[in-house]
Amino acid sequence: MSDDTLRRKSWLDGFMAYPLPAGQSEADTRANIVALDQALYALWKLGENLVFGWMLQPRGLLLLVARHALVIEYVQAASNGAEAARRAATLESLLATDGPMTPAAFDRAATDLQLDPLLLPLPFEPERGIGLEAMAAIVARYGIRLVEDRAVVLLDAVGFSLLTPLQQVVQLGSLSCSVNSAYATLLGREININFARTTTGDGFYIWNRARGVNANVELYQLMQFILADNAMAHEQARSPHSVPRLRTCFHVGSHYEFYQSEGLNPTAFSYLVGQVTIELARMIERALPGQILVGRFSTPMLDAGEGGSDGGKRTVVDSLDFVARTREPLKRLDGVTLAGARVDSIQCYLTGARSGDSEFGISEFEIEDKHHLRHRVYNAKVNIHRRPGAPVYLGLRDEDLGGFAARRVQVGSAGVSGGGGTGGVVSGGSRSPIQVSSRV
């Protein structure tokens, strides 16, 4: 075995986490994964080529392989605007395909892209030798995928560039610790979120590799406990510069997912770039220290079935509906411990001005970025009540937004469903108006 193959085998170990095919030994599955990866690796040419689509064959795969620049050249070669729009839509539909293509879709893509299908022979039957889920994950490492319904969190350390390099290292380490602690808390309640993260230099993008409403709600829960652990770390810190002061943005939208070349391999973890990361970057520019912003979205997502898992049904979920959907799962987290104290309840809601003696509304804000583009957002809060111990208040109240560079454009009632959601969230999922005393 060559030195290159030896170095690359450890990279493939991550694919052994997928379910083994029925009747297949772990050793045989590993050997098949190595064979598939080596064949794709030869075509990949260290990132020069990408797999644009694939289809199962009895003992192999049928692939559409081309230089990575095709994603731009295909659209630019259009003779007019209408043709360019058609080609862009065709390419987006192709890149949004998750898994093997049908023969009809594969033939249409090959004709549109003017590519000759390439047969990749394998010494085993793909589904029985590796399994469809693991195979899709391996092939995805050698291509680009468009994802349109994934939630992403952006955590940003306030004043990070003003710190010394050593202080920056310490703050990033503290933030990493909070992420790991939050993950451990959810894992203790059997919420095994398969999250990924990438650094922005002064913070992290974090997302759930799984997709659907449930996966996005789990990411929102992870965000809450990251911020809670960060708040606890501030209480216990001996130095004011050892723990970052955070501002946080949450949004759902489209992005491209890709894997860069790292040495001999595609990276084990993906990178994101697209509309959702652009929106988050613009939102964080205007966010105040300690603030939590939720972007305005209305996105078709895989909805949860009766068993609680995301099924095949797609439902349009907007920001207000999404926050409302986070209520019931929060009940599962009552009783967890936070800094040694038992959590009695968790309240999360979108803030707004008082609309009556006992009700608050939902305020929608419009921010303008440096390019004079406008983005709609909501201000969010999370209150965690513990016993013993003082409550943990995350985010800013509506009355604390005097320095928020945004225009209030819409006000909804907390006691009336707005796109399926409400402004206040109480443990247990009540949709009743929120009392003044509970909004802190």
Side-chain angles (χ1 to χ4, degrees):
M1 185 179 295
S2 69
D3 290 340
D4 286 354
T5 302
L6 284 171
R7 285 197 296 270
R8 300 189 68 244
K9 284 189 68 177
S10 60
W11 176 77
L12 298 174
D13 289 342
F15 298 111
M16 294 303 298
Y18 290 94
L20 294 175
Q24 183 85 357
S25 70
E26 183 175 323
D28 288 342
T29 302
R30 184 183 295 274
N32 291 340
I33 287 176
V34 170
L36 171 62
D37 179 70
Q38 287 297 117
L40 291 171
Y41 179 77
L43 297 174
W44 182 58
K45 295 184 178 179
L46 295 179
E48 180 180 349
N49 295 327
L50 295 175
V51 176
F52 285 85
W54 58 287
M55 190 172 68
L56 293 171
Q57 296 292 286
R59 294 184 70 83
L61 299 179
L62 200 59
L63 305 172
L64 295 177
V65 179
R67 294 182 305 110
H68 66 273
L70 178 66
V71 295
I72 295 177
E73 295 171 349
Y74 173 65
V75 177
Q76 289 182 337
S79 57
N80 54 61
E83 175 63 12
R86 187 197 70 81
R87 291 190 175 205
T90 297
L91 190 60
E92 287 185 356
S93 176
L94 177 62
L95 297 180
T97 303
D98 187 14
M101 304 174 67
T102 64
F106 186 91
D107 290 342
R108 284 196 303 270
T111 300
D112 283 335
L113 299 179
Q114 298 182 352
L115 295 177
D116 294 325
L118 176 64
L119 178 63
L120 186 71
L122 296 171
F124 57 88
E125 296 179 40
E127 285 194 82
R128 296 181 59 182
I130 292 180
L132 191 57
E133 189 177 358
M135 176 160 292
I138 295 170
V139 176
R141 298 307 195 269
Y142 295 95
I144 298 175
R145 190 168 60 142
L146 174 62
V147 180
E148 298 180 288
D149 59 355
R150 178 175 281 149
V152 182
V153 173
L154 175 55
L155 301 169
D156 184 75
V158 177
F160 189 81
S161 61
L162 302 178
L163 302 174
T164 67
L166 187 56
Q167 289 171 336
Q168 291 177 342
V169 170
V170 171
Q171 286 204 0
L172 288 179
S174 173
L175 182 53
S176 293
C177 182
S178 291
V179 172
N180 296 334
S181 176
Y183 171 73
T185 298
L186 296 182
L187 193 62
R189 288 302 175 99
E190 298 183 351
I191 302 175
N192 187 11
I193 178 172
N194 185 16
F195 77 92
R197 63 183 168 189
T198 183
T199 181
T200 63
D202 49 6
F204 295 125
Y205 284 116
I206 302 178
W207 64 95
N208 194 341
R209 292 189 181 93
R211 294 171 60 183
V213 177
N214 279 353
N216 291 340
V217 167
E218 289 173 354
L219 183 69
Y220 201 81
Q221 293 174 327
L222 181 70
M223 177 193 75
Q224 292 171 340
F225 278 92
I226 291 172
L227 297 178
D229 189 86
N230 172 260
M232 294 298 96
H234 268 289
E235 286 187 0
Q236 301 166 5
R238 297 181 179 179
S239 168
H241 298 303
S242 62
V243 179
R245 179 105 188 265
L246 298 177
R247 50 184 179 175
T248 308
C249 294
F250 180 97
H251 200 21
V252 177
S254 65
H255 66 81
Y256 291 97
E257 185 174 19
F258 65 101
Y259 298 81
Q260 293 182 337
S261 176
E262 187 175 272
L264 297 170
N265 310 312
T267 49
F269 300 105
S270 60
Y271 293 84
L272 306 184
V273 63
Q275 192 60 36
V276 68
T277 56
I278 293 171
E279 292 274 349
L280 285 167
R282 300 297 176 253
M283 290 163 59
I284 209 72
E285 290 174 355
R286 297 290 183 260
L288 298 173
Q291 190 172 19
I292 305 170
L293 290 180
V294 174
R296 188 181 73 170
F297 58 85
S298 181
T299 306
M301 303 182 197
L302 291 174
D303 205 352
E306 293 182 359
S309 60
D310 291 322
K313 179 183 177 183
R314 298 186 72 83
T315 302
V316 176
V317 180
D318 65 20
S319 306
L320 304 182
D321 184 26
F322 178 83
V323 173
R325 285 169 178 257
T326 65
R327 298 173 180 178
E328 195 64 25
L330 286 176
K331 292 173 62 179
R332 297 173 55 190
L333 297 171
D334 290 349
V336 302
T337 58
L338 183 61
R342 182 183 184 277
V343 173
D344 282 343
S345 68
I346 304 173
Q347 301 172 330
C348 63
Y349 54 89
L350 303 177
T351 71
R354 183 178 300 178
S355 57
D357 290 340
S358 61
E359 295 184 13
F360 285 81
I362 305 171
S363 293
E364 186 174 302
F365 297 91
E366 184 177 81
I367 60 176
E368 183 174 312
D369 64 26
K370 59 185 179 182
H371 304 294
H372 305 294
L373 299 176
R374 295 172 180 174
H375 313 269
R376 296 291 181 90
V377 299
Y378 300 93
N379 182 64
K381 268 193 60 47
V382 180
N383 301 336
I384 302 177
H385 297 274
R386 303 177 296 161
R387 185 177 54 190
V392 179
Y393 299 125
L394 307 172
L396 302 180
R397 300 174 301 174
D398 193 77
E399 54 263 44
D400 298 327
L401 302 181
F404 184 34
R407 183 172 66 93
R408 197 185 301 261
V409 294
Q410 182 176 327
V411 179
S413 170
V416 179
S417 174
T422 62
V425 176
V426 296
S427 180
S430 169
R431 288 182 179 242
S432 60
I434 300 303
Q435 300 300 314
V436 172
S437 60
S438 70
R439 299 300 290 269
V440 291

